[in-house]
Amino acid sequence: MILALAAGSALLTSAPVRAQSNDLAKAISADYDAKLEALFKDFHRNPELSYKEVRTAGIIAKEWRAVGWDVTEKVGGTGVVAVMKNGDGPTLMLRADMDGLPLVEDSGLDYMSTVTQVSIDGEEKPVMHACGHDVHITSLIGTARRLSAMKDQWRGTIVLVAQPAEERIGGAKMMMDDGLYSRFPKPDFAMAFHVSADTPTGKLALSEGISYSSVDTVDIIVHGVGAHGASPHRGKDPIVMGAQIIMGLQTIISREIAPLKPAVITVGSFHSGFKHNIISDRAVMQLTVRSDEDETRQKLLSGIKRVAANVGRMNDLPEDKLPEVKVSHESTPAVYNDAALTKRIQNVFTDRFGANIFDNKPRQGMGGEDFAYFVAPNTDVPGVYFNVGGTPQTDFDREEAGGAPVPSHHSPFFKVAPRESVTLGTEAMTAAALDLLAPKTK
């Protein structure tokens, strides 16, 4: 009898929760049909490059103002910040990135991009939303609309951030440098999500600890002495020195970093010379460097400088001609999900969507995200970053059966299922906000 009463009580308690969950999902679905789908397709057709997101930012600002948010534009360049205060309570920041990539789209979608834009480098380039940022900003507009309509269900302050230049990992730092946490309410929590082509639609991925690796963009300039290709003894060959540096860099990983510490040094570009029989006087390499811990990061960067300089010395270059190592401002620390906040959000998602919502696969790569600049340990703000599934399971089944592979992020063939991605992202962010800012009961 006691068990029966307990079970009955649990059913009575959970029924309003399920009803509220269904009401929210229905409202978001209706909003997608009435508003969000058109916005998504417009964003996808008209992507903009990093630091150049003027049109995109203007649309976001207009949509947020229309539902009652206090909006500030041009924060950290093209960034947009919206604030809504709704009584006493914590402050929550929700962030979406908005830039596209310099790619010619070949997705086959009837709303695919054909636009070009002059980049900050002064070159006209094709532009494509090849990483799903159009999903992120559409969902954040959807979330803003829901939270504005549900003010009776939360108390506190919400700060919305549309961030520029995530692809060049510079926009978050620019917004911080422009006073994001001093000009606007500083958050007690911060959240963001990424649509994932590697995750089935209808699924979320969220785990404690490391979420994205640190990223450092490094250039190495090797100075040589030009000569005739038939008389190599009369010069100093920067291509040979560059090759020695490349091979030496890999020993940093294999012999200086502990085997269980993730680390990557990839040379993505190596350019030198103009003709078959001329030894050039210069070679330039472009590297990406990844790690999960700051100690490893510093070992990698110092090791790169040491290897490059000593290859120059080994080849008898004078000290003023040793290879130069330049670490670009396009760098970001690692993103860590706060343990306590992650557990809380996992419980929110489990209660709303069921335990089967999660598709937490082990990390297979070391992607980076400049959301790190907003959250601990780089600030004192606990943060959570999660993934929303973007690819229908049938596409994975087709690939498994030997059919066409699922297009990856940053591919000209990249595409996601927009309704499933936008609506789940919107519901997950809204649900998390409602829990974190739930009114206190007396």
Side-chain angles (χ1 to χ4, degrees):
M1 186 64 177
I2 294 173
L3 289 175
L5 287 172
S9 175
L11 287 172
L12 288 172
T13 302
S14 62
V17 174
R18 287 198 302 270
Q20 290 175 3
S21 175
N22 291 336
D23 289 346
L24 177 58
K26 288 177 182 177
I28 292 170
S29 180
D31 206 22
Y32 185 85
D33 291 333
K35 183 80 174 180
L36 302 180
E37 181 180 30
L39 279 171
F40 171 81
K41 289 183 176 180
D42 183 68
F43 286 138
H44 192 89
R45 285 193 188 100
N46 298 282
E48 294 178 291
L49 293 169
S50 302
Y51 305 106
K52 307 277 283 190
E53 310 93 339
V54 176
R55 179 183 185 273
T56 304
I59 294 171
I60 295 170
K62 178 182 176 183
E63 293 297 331
W64 286 346
R65 284 194 181 100
V67 288
W69 294 77
D70 182 11
V71 177
T72 303
E73 298 181 70
K74 299 181 180 178
V75 180
T78 57
V80 186
V81 178
V83 178
M84 183 172 285
K85 296 182 179 180
N86 186 31
D88 296 330
T91 297
L92 170 65
M93 187 181 89
L94 304 176
R95 169 270 202 177
D97 40 9
M98 56 181 173
D99 52 331
L101 284 157
L103 281 172
V104 176
E105 182 166 358
D106 194 17
S107 66
L109 296 169
D110 59 7
Y111 52 87
M112 71 180 192
S113 167
T114 59
V115 303
T116 62
Q117 188 178 29
V118 177
S119 72
I120 60 168
D121 307 312
E123 300 176 9
E124 185 169 0
K125 298 176 180 178
V127 197
M128 175 189 175
H129 268 304
C131 203
H133 295 187
D134 45 356
V135 171
H136 307 168
I137 51 180
T138 305
S139 286
L140 197 54
I141 291 172
T143 300
R145 290 168 62 82
R146 288 303 93 219
L147 292 171
S148 188
M150 302 172 74
K151 293 176 71 174
D152 61 323
Q153 297 183 37
W154 61 274
R155 293 290 182 271
T157 300
I158 300 176
V159 180
L160 307 177
V161 172
Q163 182 209 304
E166 186 278 334
E167 296 295 356
R168 297 188 69 147
I169 47 180
K173 187 175 186 303
M174 286 180 63
M175 294 191 80
M176 291 294 282
D177 291 345
D178 198 15
L180 180 63
Y181 283 2
S182 57
R183 294 170 56 191
F184 307 95
K186 184 178 177 180
D188 297 296
F189 317 101
M191 290 187 63
F193 80 84
H194 205 301
V195 66
S196 170
D198 299 326
T199 304
T201 51
K203 297 289 186 179
L204 301 172
L206 170 63
S207 57
E208 296 176 32
I210 186 72
S211 178
Y212 282 87
S213 300
S214 68
V215 178
D216 287 290
T217 303
V218 179
D219 294 314
I220 301 178
I221 302 168
V222 183
H223 303 286
V225 177
H228 195 293
S231 302
H233 61 290
R234 299 179 66 86
K236 297 288 184 184
D237 193 336
I239 293 177
V240 170
M241 287 186 279
Q244 292 171 328
I245 290 171
I246 291 170
M247 298 309 295
L249 294 178
Q250 300 313 308
T251 65
I252 300 172
I253 304 289
S254 66
R255 290 296 176 268
E256 297 185 37
I257 305 299
L260 299 183
K261 300 282 189 182
V264 167
I265 299 174
T266 293
V267 179
S269 174
F270 184 3
H271 289 278
S272 182
F274 300 97
K275 198 173 187 309
H276 306 73
N277 62 348
I278 298 175
I279 292 174
S280 177
D281 63 356
R282 178 183 168 95
V284 178
M285 290 178 282
Q286 296 177 322
L287 287 65
T288 189
V289 182
R290 311 289 173 115
S291 61
D292 285 353
E293 298 178 0
D294 191 62
E295 180 184 2
T296 302
R297 184 185 187 190
Q298 298 309 319
K299 280 186 177 180
L300 294 175
L301 294 175
S302 63
I304 291 168
K305 294 174 183 177
R306 185 187 68 247
V307 167
N310 284 305
V311 164
R313 293 187 179 103
M314 183 176 70
N315 284 274
D316 202 27
L317 288 177
E319 289 294 310
D320 62 346
K321 292 294 183 181
L322 295 179
E324 299 177 58
V325 176
K326 299 181 177 180
V327 180
S328 169
H329 67 277
E330 293 185 4
S331 298
T332 181
V335 177
Y336 287 90
N337 282 342
D338 178 80
L341 183 59
T342 300
K343 286 188 178 77
R344 182 170 177 177
I345 299 305
Q346 284 173 330
N347 289 335
V348 171
F349 292 165
T350 300
D351 290 344
R352 177 166 292 270
F353 303 110
N356 292 331
I357 191 68
F358 295 110
D359 183 62
N360 291 327
K361 300 185 184 77
R363 293 169 66 223
Q364 297 295 315
M366 298 186 73
E369 239 293 347
D370 67 352
F371 181 68
Y373 282 106
F374 299 135
V375 297
N378 307 297
T379 71
D380 58 357
V381 176
V384 161
Y385 196 104
F386 63 97
N387 283 344
V388 172
T391 300
Q393 183 60 49
T394 52
D395 289 5
F396 292 109
D397 296 340
R398 182 196 64 224
E399 181 179 12
E400 184 70 21
V406 172
S408 69
H409 291 255
H410 292 219
S411 158
F413 309 110
F414 175 84
K415 58 184 175 182
V416 297
R419 171 183 280 275
E420 295 84 347
S421 304
V422 169
T423 56
L424 181 55
T426 302
E427 187 173 356
M429 289 285 260
T430 304
L434 293 175
D435 180 83
L436 292 170
L437 304 180
K440 291 182 179 180
T441 57
K442 294 183 180 180

